[in-house]
Amino acid sequence: MLMDELRVLLTHKQIQDRVGEIAAQLDRDFAGQSVIFIGVLKGATIFLSDLARRVQLDATFDFIGVASYGKQKQSSGEVRLTKDVEQPLTGANIILVEDILDTGLTMNYLRNMLLTHQPRCLKIAALLDKACRRQIPIQADYVGFTIPDEFVVGYGMDHAERYRNLPDIRVLPPELI
Ligand code: IMP
C-alpha cells in the first residue's frame, strides 16, 4: 500500500498547532529555568525537534534508547536499555519526550531509571496517548492527543522502521501489521 493511501488521523497542521500549545505550556511551567529534553529513540525524534524549536526556554537535548517493538505489534513487556543518557541529570528539570504512551511499560521503566539520577523534576511529554491500552497506571504531564486503539505511523513513528518520515500521522490497517 502506498503511503498516501493510508488514512490520515492527524494532519501535520493539527500536530504543529498542538505542539505549539504544549511549548507555550512548558514556557509557563518552567519560566526562568533550564530544561533537558530527553527523547526516546527513535520515535520521539521528530516531536522533540519540533517541540524544542517552539519553546523559548534555555534547553539542552539528550536521547535514550530502548529495545523497540521491531516487527511485532504487541509489547513483549520487557524493556531493555540500548542507549543511556550522556549528561548529568542530578538536579535537572527533565522533560522525557515520547512519541506514544501505549501500555505504559516503557515509560514506567524509563521514569524509574531516570529518577535514580535524582533530577529536580521529571515530567513526561507524550505526543499521543492510547489511554485505553494502559497496563501500568502512568500518565503524561503533557499530552498532544488521546487516540483510539489503532496502530499509527508517521511523524517519527514506524512499523518495521518504515513511515517515520511521513509528515502526518496515519493509521496502518490491521492486515498490514
Ligand atoms: P508501551 O511500552 O506499550 O507504552 O509502548 C510504547 C512504545 O511502543 C512507543 O514509544 C512506540 O515506540 C511503540 N508503539 C506503541 N503503539 C504504537 C503505534 O501505534 N505505532 C507505532 N509505535 C507504537
Side-chain angles (χ1 to χ4, degrees):
M1 190 182 250
L2 294 171
M3 285 191 193
D4 57 10
E5 290 173 1
L6 300 174
R7 177 166 61 88
V8 174
L9 184 67
L10 296 162
T11 65
H12 189 65
K13 166 90 169 71
Q14 286 175 299
I15 300 166
Q16 292 306 318
D17 289 349
R18 187 69 190 117
V19 169
E21 289 172 5
I22 295 173
Q25 210 177 330
L26 286 170
D27 281 343
R28 285 194 295 275
D29 293 352
F30 290 94
Q33 303 175 57
S34 57
V35 298
I36 301 182
F37 288 107
I38 300 185
V40 185
L41 294 171
K42 304 170 195 165
T45 51
I46 310 266
F47 177 38
L48 186 149
S49 71
D50 281 346
L51 186 62
R53 282 179 292 179
R54 298 292 287 272
V55 295
Q56 294 178 357
L57 300 167
D58 175 34
T60 55
F61 304 166
D62 213 326
F63 292 95
I64 199 160
V66 285
S68 79
Y69 272 38
K71 289 186 179 168
Q72 286 173 340
K73 181 186 166 191
Q74 294 293 324
S75 172
S76 65
E78 282 178 42
V79 182
R80 189 167 53 86
L81 201 65
T82 55
K83 186 206 167 292
D84 206 347
V85 287
E86 291 167 14
Q87 38 182 312
L89 301 177
T90 308
N93 293 315
I94 299 177
I95 317 289
L96 183 56
V97 182
E98 178 63 306
D99 53 356
I100 175 161
L101 192 51
D102 187 21
T103 64
L105 290 161
T106 310
M107 268 299 124
N108 188 52
Y109 171 86
L110 290 176
R111 183 179 60 177
N112 291 337
M113 199 274 286
L114 291 170
L115 284 175
T116 65
H117 292 265
Q118 298 188 300
R120 180 166 186 269
C121 81
L122 171 58
K123 301 287 183 192
I124 296 173
L127 179 66
L128 303 180
D129 185 0
K130 278 192 207 172
C132 59
R133 296 247 313 157
R134 202 77 88 252
Q135 290 175 19
I136 291 188
I138 184 166
Q139 285 186 8
D141 302 281
Y142 306 91
V143 174
F145 304 90
T146 299
I147 62 163
D149 183 11
E150 292 186 298
F151 198 87
V152 292
V153 293
Y155 196 71
M157 287 167 284
D158 76 312
H159 177 258
E161 296 300 327
R162 291 184 64 208
Y163 308 113
R164 292 193 196 275
N165 59 322
L166 292 178
D168 304 317
I169 293 176
R170 295 176 182 251
V171 176
L172 204 63
E175 64 271 20
L176 292 188
I177 299 171

